[in-house]
Amino acid sequence: AYYGPARAVGGDFYDFIPLPDGRIGVVVGDVTDKGVPAALVMARTHSVLRGEAPRLVRPGAVLARANELLTREMPANMFVTCLYAVLDPTTGAFTFANAGHNLPYLRTADGVTELRATGMPLGLLPDMTYDEVEATIGAAESLLLYSDGIIEAHDPGGAMYGFPRLRDDLRIDLAGSELLDRLLEQLHAFTGAGWEQEDDITLVTLQRMSSALHVGGGA
């Protein structure tokens, strides 16, 4: 995984949470705003997810419980987008629910596709429910989770990096830290040397090997 805050502290977060039966909770989130206020909300959200995930396990239930707790205490004009998944490393089963976060990209031999699931961000409205979507990461396939800091970056002329560009960049046959290095190289080539980072950037990649899943490291 890679995390690059826009300021000294930021509001993005990611985590890998041990679950029963050898499964792993995978979470990526993004708090509105940047700096210290976002970092405080991020820390609280991260704590809630860490506490509830091993108990509730299922992604929809975990996000619903997190939303219930966070709605009571969320500062005005703030919310959290979050994607939470349960991964079975032995089978590649990837079950996830989405609270307003960017959709993950799955790269297979047939190309790059989005895994679609939608839901309200955390902390906005009470009594929200979150549908679960099931997918499988097959042998030699990879998955990318990310925050909007990369897609909303601008070049010197004001053009946005955007979803299509990120999707095209994922077509290259790289995985783990090599893939993240390449994505960051492409981003920096697009924004130019004088770029001032506008938002936190988080990238998490998962690569399924022939008999196990490898969690990639970042630059």
Side-chain angles (χ1 to χ4, degrees):
Y2 169 85
Y3 173 60
R7 299 179 183 172
V9 293
D12 278 11
F13 62 96
Y14 70 90
D15 201 0
F16 303 99
I17 305 172
L19 299 176
D21 303 323
R23 290 171 293 177
I24 302 170
V26 183
V27 59
V28 175
D30 183 2
V31 181
T32 53
D33 204 357
K34 296 178 287 293
V36 173
L40 293 174
V41 173
M42 177 273 291
R44 173 58 176 154
T45 305
H46 191 187
S47 175
V48 167
L49 293 170
R50 267 266 164 183
E52 298 297 334
R55 183 176 68 87
L56 297 174
V57 180
R58 296 201 63 85
V62 171
L63 290 185
R65 177 59 176 164
N67 182 69
E68 178 185 347
L69 295 173
L70 293 171
T71 300
R72 304 171 187 171
E73 56 193 65
M74 187 67 65
N77 302 316
M78 294 187 73
F79 58 85
V80 182
T81 69
C82 181
L83 187 143
Y84 177 72
V86 173
L87 173 70
D88 186 337
T90 61
T91 65
F94 186 84
T95 304
F96 70 101
N98 191 1
H101 200 72
N102 299 312
L103 302 177
Y105 283 118
L106 178 66
R107 181 171 63 82
T108 71
D110 297 324
V112 179
T113 58
E114 285 182 332
L115 302 181
R116 301 194 63 85
T118 59
M120 287 293 292
L122 304 178
L124 276 179
L125 296 170
D127 303 321
M128 290 291 100
T129 59
Y130 297 90
D131 294 335
E132 296 178 357
V133 174
E134 296 184 1
T136 300
I137 305 174
E141 295 179 353
S142 62
L143 186 79
L144 180 74
L145 310 175
Y146 58 97
S147 65
D148 57 13
I150 185 169
I151 57 173
E152 294 182 356
H154 293 82
D155 71 5
M160 187 177 292
Y161 196 75
F163 292 103
R165 194 182 307 272
L166 176 60
R167 183 170 179 165
D168 287 343
D169 288 345
L170 289 172
R171 298 183 189 278
I172 189 168
D173 189 17
L174 293 174
S177 60
E178 291 183 340
L179 173 62
L180 299 190
D181 288 346
R182 179 59 181 269
L183 292 179
L184 294 170
E185 289 172 2
Q186 295 288 90
L187 173 65
H188 294 149
F190 173 82
T191 57
W195 177 53
E196 182 176 348
Q197 186 174 328
E198 303 158 69
D199 198 0
D200 307 328
I201 294 175
T202 298
L203 303 169
V204 175
T205 181
L206 306 172
Q207 170 73 21
R208 179 90 184 278
M209 309 305 286
S210 58
S211 59
L213 191 74
H214 171 69
V215 179

PDB file of all heavy atoms in Angstrom, residues 21-41:
ATOM      1  N   ASP A  21     -11.165 -17.388  11.065  1.00  0.00           N
ATOM      2  CA  ASP A  21     -10.990 -18.380   9.999  1.00  0.00           C
ATOM      3  C   ASP A  21      -9.974 -17.962   8.945  1.00  0.00           C
ATOM      4  O   ASP A  21     -10.073 -18.376   7.786  1.00  0.00           O
ATOM      5  CB  ASP A  21     -12.330 -18.701   9.324  1.00  0.00           C
ATOM      6  CG  ASP A  21     -13.374 -19.206  10.318  1.00  0.00           C
ATOM      7  OD1 ASP A  21     -12.976 -19.951  11.241  1.00  0.00           O
ATOM      8  OD2 ASP A  21     -14.558 -18.864  10.182  1.00  0.00           O
ATOM      9  N   GLY A  22      -9.018 -17.127   9.324  1.00  0.00           N
ATOM     10  CA  GLY A  22      -7.952 -16.763   8.406  1.00  0.00           C
ATOM     11  C   GLY A  22      -8.308 -15.713   7.381  1.00  0.00           C
ATOM     12  O   GLY A  22      -7.491 -15.379   6.505  1.00  0.00           O
ATOM     13  N   ARG A  23      -9.512 -15.171   7.461  1.00  0.00           N
ATOM     14  CA  ARG A  23      -9.896 -14.118   6.532  1.00  0.00           C
ATOM     15  C   ARG A  23      -9.269 -12.781   6.940  1.00  0.00           C
ATOM     16  O   ARG A  23      -8.778 -12.625   8.053  1.00  0.00           O
ATOM     17  CB  ARG A  23     -11.418 -14.005   6.460  1.00  0.00           C
ATOM     18  CG  ARG A  23     -12.084 -15.185   5.757  1.00  0.00           C
ATOM     19  CD  ARG A  23     -13.588 -15.151   5.903  1.00  0.00           C
ATOM     20  NE  ARG A  23     -13.998 -15.376   7.287  1.00  0.00           N
ATOM     21  CZ  ARG A  23     -15.260 -15.332   7.702  1.00  0.00           C
ATOM     22  NH1 ARG A  23     -16.230 -15.056   6.838  1.00  0.00           N
ATOM     23  NH2 ARG A  23     -15.552 -15.566   8.980  1.00  0.00           N
ATOM     24  N   ILE A  24      -9.305 -11.820   6.016  1.00  0.00           N
ATOM     25  CA  ILE A  24      -8.691 -10.515   6.249  1.00  0.00           C
ATOM     26  C   ILE A  24      -9.695  -9.429   5.880  1.00  0.00           C
ATOM     27  O   ILE A  24     -10.282  -9.452   4.798  1.00  0.00           O
ATOM     28  CB  ILE A  24      -7.413 -10.338   5.402  1.00  0.00           C
ATOM     29  CG1 ILE A  24      -6.408 -11.435   5.709  1.00  0.00           C
ATOM     30  CG2 ILE A  24      -6.796  -8.959   5.646  1.00  0.00           C
ATOM     31  CD1 ILE A  24      -5.236 -11.458   4.739  1.00  0.00           C
ATOM     32  N   GLY A  25      -9.877  -8.467   6.773  1.00  0.00           N
ATOM     33  CA  GLY A  25     -10.652  -7.285   6.448  1.00  0.00           C
ATOM     34  C   GLY A  25      -9.752  -6.276   5.762  1.00  0.00           C
ATOM     35  O   GLY A  25      -8.647  -5.999   6.226  1.00  0.00           O
ATOM     36  N   VAL A  26     -10.206  -5.745   4.649  1.00  0.00           N
ATOM     37  CA  VAL A  26      -9.442  -4.753   3.896  1.00  0.00           C
ATOM     38  C   VAL A  26     -10.280  -3.486   3.819  1.00  0.00           C
ATOM     39  O   VAL A  26     -11.429  -3.528   3.353  1.00  0.00           O
ATOM     40  CB  VAL A  26      -9.112  -5.248   2.476  1.00  0.00           C
ATOM     41  CG1 VAL A  26      -8.262  -4.216   1.739  1.00  0.00           C
ATOM     42  CG2 VAL A  26      -8.407  -6.595   2.521  1.00  0.00           C
ATOM     43  N   VAL A  27      -9.738  -2.378   4.276  1.00  0.00           N
ATOM     44  CA  VAL A  27     -10.501  -1.143   4.316  1.00  0.00           C
ATOM     45  C   VAL A  27      -9.684   0.007   3.723  1.00  0.00           C
ATOM     46  O   VAL A  27      -8.476   0.106   3.943  1.00  0.00           O
ATOM     47  CB  VAL A  27     -10.944  -0.808   5.756  1.00  0.00           C
ATOM     48  CG1 VAL A  27      -9.754  -0.655   6.692  1.00  0.00           C
ATOM     49  CG2 VAL A  27     -11.803   0.446   5.789  1.00  0.00           C
ATOM     50  N   VAL A  28     -10.357   0.848   2.952  1.00  0.00           N
ATOM     51  CA  VAL A  28      -9.789   2.099   2.457  1.00  0.00           C
ATOM     52  C   VAL A  28     -10.836   3.174   2.689  1.00  0.00           C
ATOM     53  O   VAL A  28     -12.016   2.990   2.367  1.00  0.00           O
ATOM     54  CB  VAL A  28      -9.427   2.016   0.960  1.00  0.00           C
ATOM     55  CG1 VAL A  28      -8.958   3.377   0.453  1.00  0.00           C
ATOM     56  CG2 VAL A  28      -8.349   0.985   0.730  1.00  0.00           C
ATOM     57  N   GLY A  29     -10.425   4.313   3.259  1.00  0.00           N
ATOM     58  CA  GLY A  29     -11.375   5.374   3.552  1.00  0.00           C
ATOM     59  C   GLY A  29     -10.804   6.751   3.302  1.00  0.00           C
ATOM     60  O   GLY A  29      -9.589   6.938   3.186  1.00  0.00           O
ATOM     61  N   ASP A  30     -11.707   7.720   3.223  1.00  0.00           N
ATOM     62  CA  ASP A  30     -11.324   9.098   2.914  1.00  0.00           C
ATOM     63  C   ASP A  30     -12.288  10.024   3.628  1.00  0.00           C
ATOM     64  O   ASP A  30     -13.502   9.972   3.394  1.00  0.00           O
ATOM     65  CB  ASP A  30     -11.384   9.314   1.399  1.00  0.00           C
ATOM     66  CG  ASP A  30     -10.931  10.707   0.976  1.00  0.00           C
ATOM     67  OD1 ASP A  30     -10.536  11.494   1.841  1.00  0.00           O
ATOM     68  OD2 ASP A  30     -10.990  10.991  -0.232  1.00  0.00           O
ATOM     69  N   VAL A  31     -11.748  10.872   4.514  1.00  0.00           N
ATOM     70  CA  VAL A  31     -12.553  11.849   5.236  1.00  0.00           C
ATOM     71  C   VAL A  31     -12.571  13.149   4.445  1.00  0.00           C
ATOM     72  O   VAL A  31     -11.547  13.571   3.900  1.00  0.00           O
ATOM     73  CB  VAL A  31     -11.968  12.100   6.642  1.00  0.00           C
ATOM     74  CG1 VAL A  31     -12.827  13.105   7.408  1.00  0.00           C
ATOM     75  CG2 VAL A  31     -11.849  10.793   7.416  1.00  0.00           C
ATOM     76  N   THR A  32     -13.726  13.798   4.370  1.00  0.00           N
ATOM     77  CA  THR A  32     -13.781  15.106   3.738  1.00  0.00           C
ATOM     78  C   THR A  32     -12.862  16.074   4.471  1.00  0.00           C
ATOM     79  O   THR A  32     -12.643  15.960   5.668  1.00  0.00           O
ATOM     80  CB  THR A  32     -15.209  15.670   3.758  1.00  0.00           C
ATOM     81  OG1 THR A  32     -15.698  15.649   5.105  1.00  0.00           O
ATOM     82  CG2 THR A  32     -16.131  14.865   2.867  1.00  0.00           C
ATOM     83  N   ASP A  33     -12.331  17.032   3.716  1.00  0.00           N
ATOM     84  CA  ASP A  33     -11.392  18.012   4.252  1.00  0.00           C
ATOM     85  C   ASP A  33     -10.015  17.373   4.404  1.00  0.00           C
ATOM     86  O   ASP A  33      -9.811  16.180   4.111  1.00  0.00           O
ATOM     87  CB  ASP A  33     -11.869  18.586   5.583  1.00  0.00           C
ATOM     88  CG  ASP A  33     -11.274  19.977   5.871  1.00  0.00           C
ATOM     89  OD1 ASP A  33     -10.454  20.445   5.067  1.00  0.00           O
ATOM     90  OD2 ASP A  33     -11.645  20.575   6.898  1.00  0.00           O
ATOM     91  N   LYS A  34      -9.062  18.171   4.838  1.00  0.00           N
ATOM     92  CA  LYS A  34      -7.686  17.725   5.020  1.00  0.00           C
ATOM     93  C   LYS A  34      -7.164  18.260   6.346  1.00  0.00           C
ATOM     94  O   LYS A  34      -7.857  18.990   7.054  1.00  0.00           O
ATOM     95  CB  LYS A  34      -6.805  18.235   3.856  1.00  0.00           C
ATOM     96  CG  LYS A  34      -7.185  17.680   2.495  1.00  0.00           C
ATOM     97  CD  LYS A  34      -6.315  18.247   1.384  1.00  0.00           C
ATOM     98  CE  LYS A  34      -6.661  19.683   1.075  1.00  0.00           C
ATOM     99  NZ  LYS A  34      -7.999  19.821   0.474  1.00  0.00           N
ATOM    100  N   GLY A  35      -5.935  17.906   6.684  1.00  0.00           N
ATOM    101  CA  GLY A  35      -5.307  18.440   7.875  1.00  0.00           C
ATOM    102  C   GLY A  35      -5.817  17.820   9.158  1.00  0.00           C
ATOM    103  O   GLY A  35      -6.348  16.710   9.190  1.00  0.00           O
ATOM    104  N   VAL A  36      -5.673  18.565  10.270  1.00  0.00           N
ATOM    105  CA  VAL A  36      -5.959  18.040  11.600  1.00  0.00           C
ATOM    106  C   VAL A  36      -7.422  17.632  11.782  1.00  0.00           C
ATOM    107  O   VAL A  36      -7.697  16.545  12.323  1.00  0.00           O
ATOM    108  CB  VAL A  36      -5.537  19.056  12.684  1.00  0.00           C
ATOM    109  CG1 VAL A  36      -5.990  18.583  14.067  1.00  0.00           C
ATOM    110  CG2 VAL A  36      -4.023  19.237  12.672  1.00  0.00           C
ATOM    111  N   PRO A  37      -8.424  18.440  11.379  1.00  0.00           N
ATOM    112  CA  PRO A  37      -9.819  17.996  11.569  1.00  0.00           C
ATOM    113  C   PRO A  37     -10.105  16.659  10.892  1.00  0.00           C
ATOM    114  O   PRO A  37     -10.747  15.784  11.480  1.00  0.00           O
ATOM    115  CB  PRO A  37     -10.637  19.127  10.942  1.00  0.00           C
ATOM    116  CG  PRO A  37      -9.756  20.323  11.024  1.00  0.00           C
ATOM    117  CD  PRO A  37      -8.361  19.803  10.804  1.00  0.00           C
ATOM    118  N   ALA A  38      -9.619  16.499   9.663  1.00  0.00           N
ATOM    119  CA  ALA A  38      -9.827  15.238   8.952  1.00  0.00           C
ATOM    120  C   ALA A  38      -9.085  14.098   9.633  1.00  0.00           C
ATOM    121  O   ALA A  38      -9.592  12.973   9.708  1.00  0.00           O
ATOM    122  CB  ALA A  38      -9.366  15.374   7.501  1.00  0.00           C
ATOM    123  N   ALA A  39      -7.903  14.374  10.149  1.00  0.00           N
ATOM    124  CA  ALA A  39      -7.117  13.338  10.811  1.00  0.00           C
ATOM    125  C   ALA A  39      -7.819  12.842  12.071  1.00  0.00           C
ATOM    126  O   ALA A  39      -7.774  11.643  12.390  1.00  0.00           O
ATOM    127  CB  ALA A  39      -5.729  13.864  11.149  1.00  0.00           C
ATOM    128  N   LEU A  40      -8.469  13.736  12.798  1.00  0.00           N
ATOM    129  CA  LEU A  40      -9.185  13.329  14.015  1.00  0.00           C
ATOM    130  C   LEU A  40     -10.379  12.435  13.675  1.00  0.00           C
ATOM    131  O   LEU A  40     -10.626  11.424  14.341  1.00  0.00           O
ATOM    132  CB  LEU A  40      -9.649  14.571  14.779  1.00  0.00           C
ATOM    133  CG  LEU A  40      -8.534  15.430  15.384  1.00  0.00           C
ATOM    134  CD1 LEU A  40      -9.120  16.706  15.986  1.00  0.00           C
ATOM    135  CD2 LEU A  40      -7.770  14.658  16.443  1.00  0.00           C
ATOM    136  N   VAL A  41     -11.134  12.805  12.643  1.00  0.00           N
ATOM    137  CA  VAL A  41     -12.263  11.971  12.221  1.00  0.00           C
ATOM    138  C   VAL A  41     -11.754  10.640  11.678  1.00  0.00           C
ATOM    139  O   VAL A  41     -12.344   9.583  11.914  1.00  0.00           O
ATOM    140  CB  VAL A  41     -13.112  12.709  11.168  1.00  0.00           C
ATOM    141  CG1 VAL A  41     -14.190  11.788  10.597  1.00  0.00           C
ATOM    142  CG2 VAL A  41     -13.754  13.949  11.782  1.00  0.00           C
TER     143      VAL A  41
END
